[in-house]
Amino acid sequence: MRPRVLLFALAAAVIVVLILLGVADEFLIDLLWFSALGFKPVFLTAFFARIAVFGVVFIIAALAFYLSGVIALRFSPDRERLRVVRFPEDLRQLSLPDVIRSLGERVPWRLLIGAAAVLLAIFAAVGESSNWDIYLKAIYASRFGVAEPAFGRDAGFYVFTLPLLTEIRDLALLLIFLAAALSAGVYWARGALDFREAPPRFSSAAAGQFSVLLGLFFVQRAYSYWLSRFDLLFHTDGVVFGFRYVDDVLWRPGLWLLVGLSIAAAIICFSNLGPRGVWRMVFAAVIVFVPALILNLLQPVIESLWVKPDELRIERPYLTNNIRLTRDAYKLDAVDVVPFNTRSDLTMTSMEQDAPTVKNIRLWDPRPLIATYRQLQEIRLYYDFRDVEVDRYWIQGNYTEVMLSARELNPDLLPENAHTWVNQHLKFTHGSGIVMSPVNAKDSEGLPVFILSDIPPVSKVGLSVRQPGIYFGEEPDNYAVVKTNTPEFDYPRGSDNVFGYYHGDDGVRISGIIHRLLFSYYYRDLNLLVSDTIQPDSRILIRRNIRDRIARLAPFLIMDHDPYIVLHDGRLSWIIDCYTTSDRFPYSQRNADQINYIRNSVKAVVDAYSGRTTLYVADPADPIIQTWQRIFPALFQPLSAMPAELRQHIRYPEDMFLVQADIYATYHMTDPQVFYNREDVWGFPRENYGGETGTMQPYYVIMRLPNEPHEEYILMLPMVPRGRDNMISWLAARCDGNQYGRLIEYAFSKEKLIYGPYQIQARINQNPEISRQISLWNQMGSRVIIGNLLVIPIKNSLLYVEPLYLRAENGQLPELQRVIAAYSDRVVMADNIDLTVQALFKSNQMAAPAVVAASMPSAKPPPAAAPLPAGGMRTAADHYDRALKALRAGDWSGFGSEMQQLGEALQSPNGHQ
């Protein structure tokens, strides 16, 4: 007997533990993780906010539901025949269901009503607690200092307070509906309400209670109509986003009318107690919803008969408000407009004066370069380069733009037979170092010149990576247990491997049966519980994907699509640009993502080795981040606290720039008449890559802006008139020093045609010499890849540069073989950027053998050459065949030698060398 009791007790204990773990595992893991990061106050603030919202809503809802149910119980006796109301007939008798009559008072009605009220209250409270952030933002709201002209309220009211008022409106409607449903259930169960007939029959007591609930509904409608006045500032139809003329003359007074009528309807319903029927309830609904319908019918009439005939004059003040507040919301009011009067007076001397710009023209496109990195530097099959970043470093005293990528480790790439728990979670735990190469350098074979490469990292220019381990990165999340008695794979050395141990203090302690049981259940992995490799000081590193890490730490931030890794102070860190956004900024136009306010408020930094995460406030003037700082004071640090060397690598984020450029394409027009007529709408230029046409993306360059003394790192994008390909302007975002964040529009004269990237690409394709050379390569077992064309402003001129890569037809190793450039009416192709520039600006000199130069339009065709004798043809053919074989084998030196001999054979009168 005793063993059986013990067995049952043990089983019960296991069941209880599993239930508790199922409820609490996420909570406890989060608590441990936030505590390990030093952000326990952040977790507790959010947790207690959820509890507070849940508790308040639960108490209010439970009391409301219970009161409504008890009232229904009180006025629905089950021992007598009830007088009922049938709409639209007079009162008539209804017999109670036999089952209810038989049960009578034996049913514990109050207990059942209490249980139902608790369950319904939990349902409402759980849903509302997920909106804890709305409550906190309203409580800690900051002012924007921008008043909208319709109601004179600060923009902060719409961003912070109005969402809470809307949430309360929706919650009130839910509570009224659920209270009515519970009351109806009680009346039905006790026979005072019959749904079997249409229309339903119900008692006079039920009619009285439903009248009160309907009155509460009309109070909610009055509140809703009052709030709807502020929603007028977010209308999306018509020529104006936000408050329009029809809103001003029709809906502003009309909504006040509906507020008054809803209050009147509520009073009518409250007075409908006793045996008065449902006519008053019907009348209350009519006096509210019929005027609302009439107002909706009046709107198109006013727009057609009054607004449309003179729309610009009538809507002009509202258009002005829309333009002003949209530019404010997207931070476009600070864009400096600078005339860019293009000239064609560049010389070799002027190019030498802008040597830093020329030497940093990016020739390596990230798309083919990632394949080259993978072929040359992954070293082992389990390493992975996910993408290529662009950044700038001071290298041997020169401000240099570079390409770089992190060598991460993906355990899923291990051989199938090596997919053991020890390998995936204890041994193969981290990547190793980065690779880096200048944006414009190549070796004799057309491959990138590495200034940082290999494992351990080796640098020829003095860069030092003292801590190359990458435990946190962009790879899919995979937990790792460190400081175990199993050594971790560090890096390969020849045919051997070097092993080591994690030396940081980060991560969550996993020693102890409680922690091991918790993590074992959380990951559904029994090995964490039973493995004997875990030591007392072992730690588990979780949420190692940096995007997931930030999303859990600060879910209210929107992350840029492109985190980038930075080498600073001998360590590697990830920088992720984060945004605060809103869709509730008054009058502001929403973009394709349905936001109408954005700021790059936070630079998140994650240490690649330790995972230590820091959120630096990059835009302290942003009211949204000010509000979050009030809510979570321990979460943020000022940008001035960022290490100096790391701060040199912050950049203007691409996603932010794209959003601003997209809106600026229309909202650069500040004159309401020009804006109304859409006379000068812009777009993004087109470009060709891989045989497909797409939209040109912004790109980072080091260049000297017009009238500036030094080169700097900027993000830029040409702009074209919508539907056309010629350039109309170019936008630049400055990234360095005190000029960080400054936006500039360099505007071209509208009286002069400036070729856009797509037009220059077409002229390159039409150039006979370049086209002939590309066709020859494509016929010789190689595939030509044309990189992205860059527009490089130099002084008051534009230089167009495009790289050309060759890749074996079945190979994965693109090589930079030529550089194409266009300026004024000339297009040239040469082996590197220096030869290309020389060919452009030293037209009186004979081009080097590796240069193909042609003017536009093309020059007269050369005189026909005399035919070769048969022997000469055979010799030339032999050289050509050997050149093809060398090309297919990837032997570029042999290919060049044979092509040179082919040329000599063709130039020889007898066709012999």
Side-chain angles (χ1 to χ4, degrees), residues 57-73 112-125 171-183 186 209 213:
V57 173
F58 175 81
I59 292 172
I60 294 174
L63 290 176
F65 297 154
Y66 184 75
L67 179 62
S68 182
V70 168
I71 291 174
L73 177 66
L112 290 178
I113 292 171
V118 168
L119 291 176
L120 291 175
I122 291 175
F123 168 76
L171 176 63
L173 181 62
L174 177 65
L175 296 185
I176 293 170
F177 173 78
L178 293 179
L182 179 59
S183 298
V186 173
Q209 183 170 357
L213 290 171

Side-chain angles (χ1 to χ4, degrees), residues 271-282:
S271 67
N272 190 42
L273 298 176
R276 292 186 176 86
V278 298
W279 289 108
R280 289 194 180 188
M281 291 188 284
V282 173

Side-chain angles (χ1 to χ4, degrees), residues 496-777:
D496 298 325
N497 292 329
V498 176
F499 293 88
Y501 293 91
Y502 182 74
H503 297 292
D505 294 325
D506 301 275
V508 180
R509 287 190 177 275
I510 198 172
S511 58
I513 187 63
I514 299 299
H515 281 190
R516 295 179 67 170
L517 176 63
L518 177 63
F519 280 100
S520 178
Y521 184 83
Y522 181 75
Y523 283 109
R524 307 301 191 265
D525 192 338
L526 189 62
N527 291 289
L528 287 170
L529 182 62
V530 301
S531 174
D532 58 359
T533 62
I534 298 176
Q535 302 299 302
D537 60 344
S538 295
R539 293 176 177 270
I540 184 170
L541 306 179
I542 64 174
R543 295 164 184 171
R544 298 200 292 151
N545 178 276
I546 56 177
R547 296 183 62 85
D548 177 59
R549 200 171 185 82
I550 300 301
R552 289 180 177 272
L553 188 59
F556 48 86
L557 295 176
I558 306 299
M559 283 174 283
D560 192 88
H561 82 283
D562 189 24
Y564 59 102
I565 197 162
V566 172
L567 170 62
H568 68 102
D569 303 307
R571 299 184 67 89
L572 298 174
S573 294
W574 296 93
I575 297 182
I576 311 173
D577 285 286
C578 301
Y579 310 105
T580 49
T581 63
S582 176
D583 61 352
R584 305 295 295 175
F585 196 88
Y587 277 102
S588 178
Q589 176 71 49
R590 291 194 177 112
N591 72 349
D593 295 323
Q594 295 302 303
I595 63 170
N596 66 357
Y597 175 92
I598 185 170
R599 291 292 186 272
N600 175 214
S601 298
V602 172
K603 305 283 187 182
V605 176
V606 180
D607 189 288
Y609 184 81
S610 68
R612 187 174 293 111
T613 305
T614 310
L615 303 184
Y616 296 100
V617 177
D619 189 354
D622 171 36
I624 296 181
I625 202 61
Q626 289 175 2
T627 299
W628 285 115
Q629 284 182 282
R630 293 179 179 180
I631 297 171
F632 300 123
L635 185 59
F636 302 98
Q637 293 189 26
L639 191 62
S640 59
M642 181 183 288
E645 189 173 345
L646 182 60
R647 191 171 180 179
Q648 293 177 2
H649 294 277
I650 64 172
R651 66 187 189 188
Y652 202 86
E654 186 177 333
D655 286 356
M656 174 84 169
F657 188 70
L658 275 172
V659 168
Q660 290 177 303
D662 180 53
I663 296 297
Y664 193 73
T666 301
Y667 283 85
H668 69 275
M669 299 180 289
T670 56
D671 183 284
Q673 181 170 342
V674 175
F675 185 92
Y676 174 81
N677 293 319
R678 295 297 197 267
E679 298 176 15
D680 190 23
V681 180
W682 298 348
F684 298 161
R686 296 185 294 167
E687 69 169 358
N688 274 325
Y689 180 79
E692 297 182 357
T693 300
T695 302
M696 192 173 192
Q697 298 298 305
Y699 49 92
Y700 294 96
V701 295
I702 288 179
M703 61 170 289
R704 185 164 65 89
L705 292 171
N707 303 317
E708 293 293 336
H710 305 290
E711 69 275 11
E712 58 185 284
Y713 193 59
I714 68 166
L715 177 64
M716 67 168 291
L717 178 67
M719 301 294 288
V720 299
R722 183 165 295 176
R724 297 168 61 187
D725 291 318
N726 59 290
M727 282 177 60
I728 192 70
S729 69
W730 59 281
L731 302 179
R734 305 176 75 169
C735 301
D736 287 348
N738 295 330
Q739 298 295 334
Y740 174 84
R742 182 184 172 194
L743 297 179
I744 307 175
E745 174 207 336
Y746 289 95
F748 299 133
S749 171
K750 293 183 173 61
E751 300 174 356
K752 186 176 181 180
L753 176 66
I754 307 297
Y755 288 122
Y758 198 71
Q759 293 171 318
I760 293 295
Q761 181 67 65
R763 302 187 77 171
I764 291 173
N765 294 339
Q766 294 166 5
N767 183 276
E769 298 295 335
I770 296 177
S771 179
R772 186 180 303 115
Q773 183 65 58
I774 290 176
S775 298
L776 177 62
W777 277 322

Side-chain angles (χ1 to χ4, degrees), residues 141-158:
S142 300
R143 288 181 56 83
F144 277 73
V146 177
E148 49 80 17
F151 300 101
R153 291 181 178 268
D154 184 81
F157 169 79
Y158 297 91

Side-chain angles (χ1 to χ4, degrees), residues 142-284:
S142 300
R143 288 181 56 83
F144 277 73
V146 177
E148 49 80 17
F151 300 101
R153 291 181 178 268
D154 184 81
F157 169 79
Y158 297 91
V159 174
F160 301 122
T161 307
L162 187 58
L164 176 60
L165 299 179
T166 302
E167 192 67 27
I168 294 173
R169 176 200 65 189
D170 297 340
L171 176 63
L173 181 62
L174 177 65
L175 296 185
I176 293 170
F177 173 78
L178 293 179
L182 179 59
S183 298
V186 173
Y187 282 120
W188 171 81
R190 293 172 63 84
L193 182 62
D194 190 355
F195 291 104
R196 291 175 295 180
E197 298 184 22
R201 298 186 305 168
F202 48 90
S203 68
S204 58
Q209 183 170 357
F210 289 140
S211 293
V212 173
L213 290 171
L214 186 62
L216 293 175
F217 168 76
F218 282 120
V219 171
Q220 189 270 349
R221 292 309 305 160
Y223 175 57
S224 179
Y225 287 132
W226 180 79
L227 287 182
S228 296
R229 299 178 308 126
F230 305 114
D231 288 333
L232 297 175
L233 274 66
F234 305 102
H235 278 169
T236 58
D237 51 338
V239 298
V240 181
F241 182 92
F243 200 70
R244 307 157 298 171
Y245 175 81
V246 70
D247 300 323
D248 203 359
V249 301
L250 176 66
W251 284 110
R252 174 145 56 176
L255 288 171
W256 272 119
L257 173 65
L258 294 178
V259 170
L261 292 176
S262 296
I263 294 175
I267 294 173
I268 291 173
C269 290
F270 291 148
S271 67
N272 190 42
L273 298 176
R276 292 186 176 86
V278 298
W279 289 108
R280 289 194 180 188
M281 291 188 284
V282 173
F283 178 70

